[in-house]
Amino acid sequence: MLFYLGFLGILYLVLYLYNIRQDALRYMILLGGFFCLSAGMLGLIHYLRHYEKVAQAVKGLPDELGEFPESEEITEETYQNRLTELFEDKNALESKMRIGYQEMQDYYGMWVHQIKTPISAMNLLLQTMEENNEEQRKEAVKELKLELFKTEQYVEMVLTYLRVGDISSDMMLCWYKIDTLIRQAVRKYSQMFILKKIKLNYEECRQMVLTDEKWMVFVLEQILSNALKYTKKGAISIYTEPGENLEAGNVAVHKKGQEESVHSVLVIEDTGIGISKEDLPRVFEKGFTGYNGRQDKKSTGIGLYLCKSVCEKLNHDIAIYSVQGKGTKVVLGLSRRELQCDD
């Protein structure tokens, strides 16, 4: 409206300088002002109606977003599209948080029932030790240590579950001898090997690996824990073998253009009950326990999921191959991609 009034003012001044009759100029100003005011009022009414529709569309925010009216300017259309995208992103984020919270509640509920078992066993063993003779007490002490070890495992597992979402802040990559990392994991489970009378076949691994010590040892410990858990008799073997000798599809080979880099892989193999063919594709899924887990009644389906998550963060490969009733082989590809900069 200010633009039209300014335009009428300039027109009036120009015509006045040309000595146009005053009554004609006044008539022109009144007529032009009437049309200007009418157009302005119509525009204002249209704008207020449009504003009311936009306000109605966003009235339910942040919980609900209505349908926007048809935009008349590209700027408004851009704002509407961006607001819709942000609202959709917000809903997706809230949905993800709800699912994560529910999964955490489920896991903690299962974890509480798990940790109650060794605690109850320890209480029973302590009562038994007070009543039995010296020889029986020694045997009870061994079992007590085993139950205490299980409790420590459960506590470490729940702490790892909490930290694995953002391990980048707790990661320090260095070159390590694979042998050093394996020995740490084996040392932790040495009592389990002895108590369960499981033989360990270990070939010294001289290769170096660029990884994080704490998180890599966690993966090795979890694999050994599963192997000991589902192996009733026989042996667990740890060795390395060339990547090119593996069957096709065992471990992904990193490629750079047409070049391939094939390195040794670490294998942890047991003679346990194995995994059914139907369960193998889903062993790394969060919360999946499979046939063995349902039989055991104590499996959470979190261990291998955490192993997979950690390996992805460390840029390592992990694969599992098994024959039910014969054993399981876990293959860790510890090679790394080499970055090449073009001149």
Side-chain angles (χ1 to χ4, degrees):
M1 290 178 68
L2 290 175
F3 171 78
Y4 285 120
L5 291 174
F7 177 77
L8 287 173
I10 294 173
L11 184 60
Y12 176 85
L13 180 61
V14 172
L15 295 177
Y16 175 79
L17 294 176
Y18 276 91
N19 295 319
I20 303 298
R21 288 172 52 186
Q22 293 294 318
D23 56 344
L25 291 177
R26 286 193 295 269
Y27 180 72
M28 180 195 70
I29 293 297
L30 290 174
L31 193 60
F34 172 77
F35 282 110
C36 175
L37 183 62
S38 300
M41 291 301 295
L42 290 174
L44 179 61
I45 293 170
H46 178 75
Y47 173 80
L48 291 175
R49 288 177 178 175
H50 186 78
Y51 171 80
E52 184 65 27
K53 293 179 181 178
V54 172
Q56 193 67 28
V58 299
K59 184 178 181 180
L61 284 176
D63 300 321
E64 184 181 358
L65 183 64
E67 184 178 353
F68 283 112
E70 185 177 353
S71 58
E72 299 175 347
E73 297 180 1
I74 190 170
T75 305
E76 183 185 348
E77 183 178 359
T78 303
Y79 285 140
Q80 290 182 9
N81 292 338
R82 185 57 181 153
L83 184 59
T84 303
E85 291 173 4
L86 289 173
F87 185 78
E88 291 174 353
D89 291 343
K90 175 186 125 348
N91 284 344
L93 193 59
E94 286 182 348
S95 177
K96 184 179 179 181
M97 290 176 64
R98 281 194 297 268
I99 293 172
Y101 179 73
Q102 185 61 47
E103 289 177 347
M104 186 170 291
Q105 278 191 319
D106 294 341
Y107 174 66
Y108 283 146
M110 189 179 298
W111 180 81
V112 168
H113 289 292
Q114 277 186 318
I115 204 167
K116 283 171 65 177
T117 303
I119 291 174
S120 300
M122 285 189 287
N123 286 328
L124 184 61
L125 287 168
L126 286 171
Q127 294 174 10
T128 305
M129 289 173 63
E130 295 174 354
E131 302 169 358
N132 292 339
N133 56 39
E134 189 65 27
E135 188 66 30
Q136 291 174 326
R137 287 180 182 178
K138 289 182 179 179
E139 191 65 29
V141 168
K142 291 182 181 179
E143 295 182 11
L144 189 63
K145 289 181 178 179
L146 179 60
E147 297 300 328
L148 181 60
F149 180 77
K150 290 180 181 178
T151 305
E152 291 175 347
Q153 272 190 301
Y154 290 142
V155 173
E156 288 180 6
M157 182 68 72
V158 76
L159 291 175
T160 303
Y161 182 78
L162 291 172
R163 292 196 302 258
V164 76
D166 184 24
I167 69 173
S168 57
S169 59
D170 188 31
M171 187 182 296
M172 185 174 66
L173 297 177
C174 294
W175 284 99
Y176 297 96
K177 286 184 65 175
I178 299 179
D179 181 75
T180 303
L181 305 178
I182 295 173
R183 288 182 184 276
Q184 290 185 48
V186 171
R187 192 179 302 117
K188 180 175 180 179
Y189 286 91
S190 57
Q191 289 294 324
M192 291 280 287
F193 277 98
I194 295 170
L195 291 172
K196 298 193 69 173
K197 298 179 181 180
I198 302 295
K199 182 181 178 182
L200 174 65
N201 299 321
Y202 175 57
E203 300 177 7
E204 184 178 358
C205 305
R206 301 180 180 276
Q207 288 84 351
M208 301 291 291
V209 58
L210 181 61
T211 189
D212 178 87
E213 181 181 20
K214 183 178 75 173
W215 289 104
M216 193 64 232
V217 170
F218 166 79
V219 173
L220 295 172
E221 288 176 354
Q222 187 59 41
I223 295 171
L224 278 177
S225 174
N226 284 350
L228 285 165
K229 184 178 181 180
Y230 295 110
T231 302
K232 305 303 180 183
K233 61 180 181 178
I236 295 175
S237 304
I238 305 176
Y239 56 91
T240 57
E241 62 183 27
E244 63 265 32
N245 292 338
L246 293 174
E247 297 176 2
N250 272 10
V251 175
V253 177
H254 298 310
K255 295 184 178 182
K256 176 74 174 179
Q258 297 298 322
E259 301 177 359
E260 297 183 357
S261 57
V262 183
H263 297 269
S264 296
V265 297
L266 180 66
V267 180
I268 302 176
E269 188 173 4
D270 64 59
T271 57
I273 60 176
I275 304 171
S276 66
K277 185 178 180 181
E278 294 78 13
D279 290 343
L280 268 177
R282 301 185 59 191
V283 291
F284 293 117
E285 291 183 12
K286 188 175 184 179
F288 180 74
T289 57
Y291 176 77
N292 294 339
R294 289 188 290 273
Q295 292 291 109
D296 184 65
K297 304 294 185 183
K298 299 177 183 177
S299 178
T300 60
I302 295 295
L304 288 177
Y305 161 76
L306 292 177
C307 288
K308 181 71 171 178
S309 300
V310 171
C311 285
E312 287 178 351
K313 298 288 176 61
L314 294 174
N315 198 20
H316 299 324
D317 296 313
I318 182 171
I320 293 182
Y321 304 90
S322 181
V323 178
Q324 195 168 16
K326 294 185 177 181
T328 302
K329 177 192 288 188
V330 181
V331 184
L332 291 172
L334 304 180
S335 60
R336 295 195 142 274
R337 299 180 182 89
E338 294 185 3
L339 298 179
Q340 298 181 358
C341 299
D342 298 329
D343 295 335

